[in-house]
Amino acid sequence: MPCELCDQVGGVLVARTPLLRVIRAEDAHYPAFYRVIWNAHVAEWTDLPPAHRSHIMQAVAKVETVLRGALRPTKINLASLGNVVPHLHWHVIARFEWDAHFPQPIWGSMQRSVEPPAIERLGVPLAELDAAVAHAVQALDQPAAS
Amino acid sequence: MPCELCDQVGGVLVARTPLLRVIRAEDAHYPAFYRVIWNAHVAEWTDLPPAHRSHIMQAVAKVETVLRGALRPTKINLASLGNVVPHLHWHVIARFEWDAHFPQPIWGSMQRSVEPPAIERLGVPLAELDAAVAHAVQALDQPAAS
């Protein structure tokens, strides 16, 4: 079975380490929407050995921490779903009271149209946010052993 | 601000430890839907110190592992959202190709009605599933220090 996260980077590449990568999803409603993608093909988080489970969650925490510090979002949303693309990836999404679906999940029904657009409301240029995410993820400790 | 996860258990109590509890959501579409709830009121996962972040994820892994072993689901879905109830809780949901929203997230648009109902299709009585989840969560190592 071809897998799009094996074949493609899956978004704007922000950081890559030996085990994982972080991409920014290009979602007009959610400009501050990143994904932490395990490089190897595994479907479920618990397919990883415990040291690697912890490692990917440390990467998720790094991204969450950058988004909280830079954007002061109303809430962070984290999710590992993979029903359509069963290759382990964690969604890390900065949510705001004014965003298109709040307080619904981004997969729920739209609550409002957003004007001026979300990208203008963030207050931080995406290049700057990407650089901060990359810096944080590159500082991850690599796991001692698999 | 009153918080319903401070005031109430939040579902069918399955397991409780000094730091967290596991409840089963009572969702007719998703009978194998559990939540790992941090007992103390914090909003974001990264509000916890790293040892506690790891601890709650170990509990999530325990629940995921039980659901995978008992039910052989098509996919596990994990999420920490909290837009409506900003008290840290992780959703752990067994998903099946035949379920009401698959492959959409459970918060997306319904794809089909399910007959016979999901509870009958699981193949495992909920009391047995709850007991297996409780056993696994009670075996969690408690963190050495906060």
Side-chain angles (χ1 to χ4, degrees):
Chain A
M1 283 267 283
C3 167
E4 70 180 69
L5 291 181
C6 288
D7 295 342
Q8 300 164 39
V9 69
V12 176
L13 184 64
V14 172
R16 184 188 283 275
T17 76
L19 293 170
L20 55 80
R21 62 188 184 269
V22 179
I23 64 94
R24 177 164 45 73
E26 294 177 282
D27 184 316
H29 288 311
Y30 298 99
F33 181 170
Y34 292 81
R35 292 193 185 102
V36 181
I37 303 171
W38 196 251
N39 289 333
H41 186 88
V42 296
E44 299 286 4
W45 179 56
T46 56
D47 286 338
L48 298 180
H52 284 176
R53 289 178 206 167
S54 172
H55 184 66
I56 193 169
M57 296 318 296
Q58 286 172 48
V60 170
K62 293 281 193 191
V63 178
E64 172 171 324
T65 300
V66 168
L67 298 187
R68 292 183 68 187
L71 304 175
R72 306 283 163 200
T74 308
K75 193 68 193 63
I76 292 288
N77 286 180
L78 304 176
S80 173
L81 307 176
N83 303 328
V84 176
V85 182
H87 177 131
L88 178 61
H89 59 281
W90 280 92
H91 304 279
V92 186
I93 313 158
R95 300 296 310 274
F96 298 90
E97 284 174 344
W98 48 257
D99 76 32
H101 298 78
F102 201 89
Q104 293 301 307
I106 69 163
W107 306 281
S109 52
M110 197 176 299
Q111 301 297 302
R112 64 192 64 82
S113 49
V114 176
E115 198 60 47
I119 182 78
E120 292 179 27
R121 291 186 174 223
L122 276 193
V124 176
L126 288 183
E128 191 175 308
L129 200 57
D130 287 353
V133 168
H135 185 262
V137 171
Q138 298 297 349
L140 270 176
D141 293 325
Q142 294 305 306
S146 50
Chain B
M1 285 265 284
C3 167
E4 69 179 72
L5 292 181
C6 288
D7 295 342
Q8 300 164 40
V9 69
V12 176
L13 184 64
V14 172
R16 184 188 283 276
T17 78
L19 293 170
L20 56 80
R21 62 188 183 269
V22 177
I23 64 95
R24 179 165 44 74
E26 293 176 283
D27 183 316
H29 288 311
Y30 299 99
F33 180 170
Y34 291 81
R35 293 193 185 101
V36 181
I37 303 171
W38 197 250
N39 288 333
H41 186 88
V42 297
E44 300 285 5
W45 180 55
T46 56
D47 286 338
L48 297 180
H52 284 175
R53 288 177 207 167
S54 172
H55 184 65
I56 192 170
M57 296 317 297
Q58 287 172 49
V60 170
K62 293 280 194 192
V63 179
E64 172 171 325
T65 299
V66 168
L67 298 187
R68 292 182 69 187
L71 304 174
R72 307 282 165 199
T74 308
K75 193 69 193 64
I76 292 288
N77 286 180
L78 304 176
S80 172
L81 306 176
N83 304 326
V84 176
V85 181
H87 177 131
L88 178 62
H89 58 281
W90 280 92
H91 304 280
V92 185
I93 314 158
R95 300 296 309 276
F96 298 90
E97 283 174 344
W98 49 257
D99 76 31
H101 298 78
F102 201 89
Q104 293 301 309
I106 67 163
W107 306 282
S109 53
M110 198 175 300
Q111 302 296 304
R112 65 191 64 82
S113 50
V114 176
E115 198 61 48
I119 182 77
E120 293 180 26
R121 291 188 173 222
L122 275 193
V124 176
L126 288 183
E128 192 176 308
L129 199 58
D130 287 353
V133 168
H135 185 262
V137 171
Q138 298 296 350
L140 269 176
D141 294 325
Q142 294 303 305
S146 48

